[in-house]
Amino acid sequence: VNGTVNGTLLVAVGAHDWWEPQSFEVALVLALVSTACWGSWSNTAKAAADRVNFAHYYTDFCLGTILVALVSFVGPGHLHLGGPAVDISKIGFAVAAGSVFGVANLLLTTGIAVAGLSIAFPLCIGTGLVLGTLLTYLVDRRGQPALIFPGVFLALLGVVANAR
């Protein structure tokens, strides 16, 4: 630990530092700002709905998000990826996971536009739960299969029942 600046803890990692909120109040404010930004895309999508095609809007939003991430990486991130626990050779997996998440989010929002929230959301989230649990178990065989798979099967039944 290098010390504090303006009530913020500085943590040394190699030649670069990053900051962590040192108080609950600062962490809460950051969480609230993050939550507000997290939900902002749906508000701007509604505001632009009559002027811009949804597919074009979402593509523009995704490209803007990537641009902000790159600027943050080069600027405040100081070209540093996460600390000593991060294996840089596996950064492609993180990019692939983010890409899959973006496509899934696009499909979810398109499904909501087509079928409505009460149909699309349970179908997409349920399918993601089932496939994500199965893939996670295939990659990392921890847990008790006797408990995992009956639960996944019940979730799959719920998705199928909702699809009718």
Side-chain angles (χ1 to χ4, degrees):
V1 176
N2 285 349
T4 60
V5 174
N6 296 331
T8 302
L9 180 66
L10 292 177
V11 180
V13 177
H16 303 287
D17 296 331
W18 79 82
W19 59 273
E20 295 176 0
Q22 190 169 351
S23 68
F24 173 77
E25 292 77 16
V26 173
L28 180 62
V29 168
L30 288 173
L32 292 174
V33 168
S34 174
T35 302
C37 292
W38 181 29
S40 66
W41 77 267
S42 60
N43 295 328
T44 58
K46 275 192 169 193
D50 57 342
R51 293 177 299 228
V52 179
N53 180 335
F54 177 74
H56 293 138
Y57 168 82
Y58 198 79
T59 301
D60 186 46
F61 184 84
C62 289
L63 292 174
T65 303
I66 291 169
L67 181 64
V68 168
L70 289 174
V71 167
S72 297
F73 175 64
V74 172
H78 300 292
L79 300 173
H80 181 72
L81 292 172
V86 175
D87 184 2
I88 300 298
S89 67
K90 296 188 179 176
I91 194 77
F93 292 120
V95 171
S99 300
V100 168
F101 179 78
V103 169
N105 201 14
L106 175 62
L107 293 173
L108 172 62
T109 53
T110 302
I112 290 170
V114 171
L117 183 64
S118 63
I119 300 295
F121 193 78
L123 287 177
C124 291
I125 299 304
T127 303
L129 171 83
V130 169
L131 295 176
T133 302
L134 291 176
L135 182 61
T136 300
Y137 187 76
L138 289 174
V139 170
D140 185 11
R141 295 184 185 265
R142 284 190 285 169
Q144 297 179 3
L147 295 175
I148 293 172
F149 292 116
V152 168
F153 180 71
L154 289 174
L156 180 61
L157 288 178
V159 168
V160 171
N162 189 44
R164 294 180 135 211

